[in-house]
Amino acid sequence: MTKPKAAPSEYERKRQENIAKTQALLRNLEMEAAQAGLGPTAKSASTSRASKPKKPTPRKIKQEEVVPRRTSSRLKGIEADSETAKRKAEEEHEARRDADKAKRQRISDAFNFGDILVTGKGGDAITSLLNVVGPANPYERTFDEDDVKETTDKELRALREKMSGLELWSEYEPNELKITPERIYALGMHPTTDKPLIFAGDKLGNLGIIDGSQKATAVKVEDDEDADYEAPSITTLKPHTRTIHTFQFSPHEANALYSASYDSTVRKLDLAKGVAVEIYAPKDTSEDAPLSGVEISKDNPNMLYFSTLDGRFGMYDMRTPSEKAAGLEIFHLSDKKIGGFTLHPLHPHLVATASLDRTLKLWDLRKISGKSDSRLPALVGSHESRLSVSHAAWNAAGQVATASYDDTVKIHDFSSSAVWKAGHTLSDAEMEPAAVIPHNNQTGRWVTILRAQWQQFPSDGVQRFCIGNMNRFVDVYTAKGEQLAQLGGEGITAVPAVAKFHPSMDWVAAGTASGKLCLWM
């Protein structure tokens, strides 16, 4: 027999009544909302049902450096809100802050290349290499073969055909040539003419090195008809803790590379010995003075010149011990950032600076006057652009090329500079550019600033410079502003913003924000 069902208790009866009242109230509210037009319509309901469910976005695994780990106060028996708990929280915060500071702190010790090797082969391999040795419109050309064919000047046409004939390195596509882990800020080629050796400095202080003469090696895989190819051999060092903004091969030692960084130091990398030594840093180790330029005079192998992001220009005698200030002299040339400077190749007492204050300025180091903060080299002349000027580059003929955010590349002719006496000054008219080239320089936040860079020793004597193009090319111009080539090719998927000639060979290298290399030969 089935057991008779027990009558509900008083508590259960009350609970069921409350549920019924609540449900009735909700139905009334829904009806009132629908009458007022506030409820969901049938169209929206059907649309939401018909829409396809979105695929979950795959989570990216963020690799982080190991920092002091948080621990449970409860498991350690520490009472919440007690003095002990507060002290523990403060200690953990201090430890994390110290760990973060240590990552960015410059290190003054000398490094062997083995100590700063990130990837690739070590110092012996590098030594052996040397021993053998508007809005952008991607891919839309503004200069092509029709412009070359229409050139009537025979010499100019021959030069255009020669430079436009340069081709991308055929062994590897640019996407395979990740020369640095992060965005490239500085790039250059070793002066050897035996083969292209390319160096690139990135945002995190890495220095990538690649031999542009290596051949792709085929690797046969079992049960696979097509052969794979080995990745190119790239060596990565980390001589700095922050951005390598610029570097220069010494005109006196081909295997000495001087690099300037946002970590406030200049380091000399001896590529033959495999050692990186700190040459200059502020006396106070806690001082933050990011550097924006570095150069060695051709007349004096011991004199180092540098510029900073706060508008200062320095001269430092490297024979002086770094802890003494006797060999250091610093001038405050601008109230804003100096984006770059160069010395005249033949008359290094003449300095050209480009600044965020929109000016190109020429200075003469032969005449320095004033006291304290007012002590400055003689100002030869100044030219103001509509917007900031990112770089100023001298060539051996006495011309200065600048790139600025007013979307122009300007070429100033100071060919008479060889006869200037100390204290010579130029009028505003004499500082005006001889040629103005329209050029999109709107790089934005994620692309390295475009800079015009001259070829140091052109074999045919024709002065020319290269500069990155926002349409994913590299433009080549003469000192008269005539375009010689627009270098491009398959596989260039980002703006080759940092472009540089080999000092004497017609080789052009350029780096992108993703650390990739483009090489034309």
Side-chain angles (χ1 to χ4, degrees):
M1 289 181 65
T2 57
K3 194 174 181 179
K5 197 171 184 180
S9 64
E10 182 69 17
Y11 170 78
E12 180 63 20
R13 190 169 57 78
K14 287 279 187 184
R15 193 175 72 85
Q16 294 295 341
E17 288 177 1
N18 289 336
I19 291 173
K21 288 178 182 178
T22 303
Q23 289 176 344
L25 179 62
L26 289 173
R27 282 194 295 272
N28 289 334
L29 289 173
E30 287 176 358
M31 290 173 63
E32 291 174 2
Q35 291 172 1
L38 300 175
T41 62
K43 183 179 179 181
S44 64
S46 62
T47 304
S48 63
R49 284 195 299 272
S51 62
K52 294 181 180 179
K54 291 184 178 180
K55 293 182 179 180
T57 305
R59 289 181 61 190
K60 292 184 178 180
I61 301 174
K62 186 177 180 181
Q63 295 183 351
E64 298 182 352
E65 292 195 20
V66 179
V67 296
R69 190 175 179 180
R70 296 182 64 184
T71 56
S72 170
S73 298
R74 180 180 60 81
L75 294 177
K76 288 190 172 185
I78 300 174
E79 186 180 346
D81 296 330
S82 66
E83 287 299 321
T84 307
K86 291 179 182 178
R87 188 164 58 252
K88 175 177 174 291
E90 290 174 358
E91 289 173 355
E92 289 179 350
H93 175 72
E94 286 289 331
R96 284 194 296 272
R97 190 175 68 179
D98 291 344
D100 183 62
K101 184 179 179 181
K103 286 193 297 183
R104 298 167 61 87
Q105 185 70 36
R106 67 171 184 262
I107 303 171
S108 298
D109 299 336
F111 296 134
N112 290 317
F113 281 6
D115 300 332
I116 57 176
L117 184 67
V118 179
T119 60
K121 300 176 182 178
D124 292 340
I126 297 171
T127 305
S128 65
L129 284 177
L130 296 168
N131 289 339
V132 177
V133 248
N137 298 306
Y139 310 115
E140 181 180 310
R141 285 188 173 273
T142 55
F143 182 89
D144 57 22
E145 58 184 12
D146 291 336
D147 295 284
V148 177
K149 291 176 182 177
E150 293 170 5
T151 306
T152 55
D153 186 291
K154 289 184 179 180
E155 291 185 0
L156 178 59
R157 178 168 179 168
L159 190 55
R160 282 179 165 173
E161 289 174 346
K162 176 184 175 183
M163 296 308 301
S164 296
L166 299 181
E167 296 182 351
L168 273 177
W169 187 12
S170 59
E171 294 296 317
Y172 299 98
E173 292 187 2
N175 274 339
E176 299 175 284
L177 300 173
K178 191 169 177 62
I179 189 172
T180 62
E182 295 290 334
R183 186 209 295 195
I184 294 175
Y185 273 73
L187 187 140
M189 292 199 209
H190 190 280
T192 179
T193 57
D194 296 335
K195 56 184 177 181
L197 288 178
I198 303 98
F199 293 70
D202 79 356
K203 183 178 180 179
L204 296 183
N206 298 292
L207 183 71
I209 308 169
I210 188 171
D211 178 358
S213 67
Q214 59 184 291
K215 302 293 183 182
T217 305
V219 179
K220 184 68 177 176
V221 181
E222 289 186 24
D223 303 326
D224 191 351
E225 294 182 359
D226 298 324
D228 288 335
Y229 288 88
E230 285 188 358
S233 177
I234 298 172
T235 298
T236 307
L237 307 174
K238 191 172 173 59
H240 293 278
T241 58
R242 294 172 66 185
T243 303
I244 298 176
H245 190 273
T246 185
F247 60 77
Q248 181 205 17
F249 287 95
S250 170
H252 309 280
E253 303 175 71
N255 290 335
L257 183 148
Y258 290 84
S259 57
S261 168
Y262 285 180
D263 66 9
S264 310
T265 68
V266 174
R267 280 189 172 272
K268 175 186 177 183
L269 280 74
D270 191 319
L271 304 173
K273 296 179 181 177
V275 179
V277 182
E278 182 181 281
I279 296 299
Y280 166 79
K283 187 176 180 181
D284 184 354
T285 56
S286 64
E287 182 180 349
D288 188 26
L291 303 181
S292 62
V294 65
E295 198 160 335
I296 304 293
S297 166
K298 80 169 189 67
D299 289 348
N300 187 346
N302 300 305
M303 188 59 70
L304 176 80
Y305 300 86
F306 62 88
S307 61
T308 72
L309 294 186
D310 62 359
R312 292 181 293 169
F313 175 81
M315 302 190 304
Y316 177 62
D317 189 337
M318 293 183 285
R319 293 169 295 188
T320 307
S322 57
E323 65 272 10
K324 296 182 179 179
L328 176 65
E329 192 158 16
I330 295 180
F331 311 103
H332 206 114
L333 300 186
S334 173
D335 292 331
K336 295 186 177 180
K337 166 186 172 182
I338 292 178
F341 81 93
T342 53
L343 307 178
H344 191 303
L346 302 181
H347 312 289
H349 54 268
L350 295 174
V351 183
T353 60
S355 174
L356 196 62
D357 65 6
R358 305 179 297 165
T359 62
L360 158 71
K361 291 180 179 179
L362 302 184
W363 308 86
D364 191 339
L365 299 177
R366 294 174 298 180
K367 185 178 180 182
I368 300 174
S369 58
K371 295 181 179 179
S372 189
D373 291 342
S374 299
R375 181 170 168 78
L376 296 173
L379 179 62
V380 178
S382 175
H383 177 268
E384 186 173 312
S385 294
R386 189 169 58 85
L387 295 172
S388 65
V389 186
S390 59
H391 187 62
W394 279 104
N395 67 13
Q399 292 149 328
V400 175
T402 66
S404 58
Y405 268 97
D406 60 7
D407 285 340
T408 62
V409 174
K410 302 181 183 71
I411 303 171
H412 302 256
D413 188 359
F414 305 118
S415 52
S416 62
S417 56
V419 298
W420 291 350
K421 302 295 183 184
H424 182 84
T425 58
L426 297 176
S427 65
D428 290 344
E430 291 172 307
M431 287 295 298
E432 286 296 315
V436 179
I437 306 167
H439 197 271
N440 180 7
N441 298 325
Q442 303 302 313
T443 52
R445 181 178 179 184
W446 306 111
V447 177
T448 305
I449 293 172
L450 305 181
R451 294 178 174 85
Q453 302 280 12
W454 296 97
Q455 186 174 25
Q456 285 182 285
F457 312 109
S459 56
D460 54 11
V462 178
Q463 297 293 333
R464 49 182 170 264
F465 67 85
C466 61
I467 183 171
N469 183 305
M470 290 299 292
N471 291 358
R472 300 180 185 175
F473 300 102
V474 169
D475 294 325
V476 182
Y477 294 94
T478 68
K480 295 179 181 179
E482 300 161 323
Q483 185 155 7
L484 297 180
Q486 193 164 78
L487 304 176
E490 295 292 329
I492 302 176
T493 57
V495 178
V498 188
K500 199 78 176 283
F501 266 108
H502 181 276
S504 58
M505 303 293 288
D506 287 330
W507 301 333
V508 178
T512 72
S514 55
K516 306 289 179 62
L517 172 71
C518 306
L519 175 62
W520 292 270
M521 295 181 286

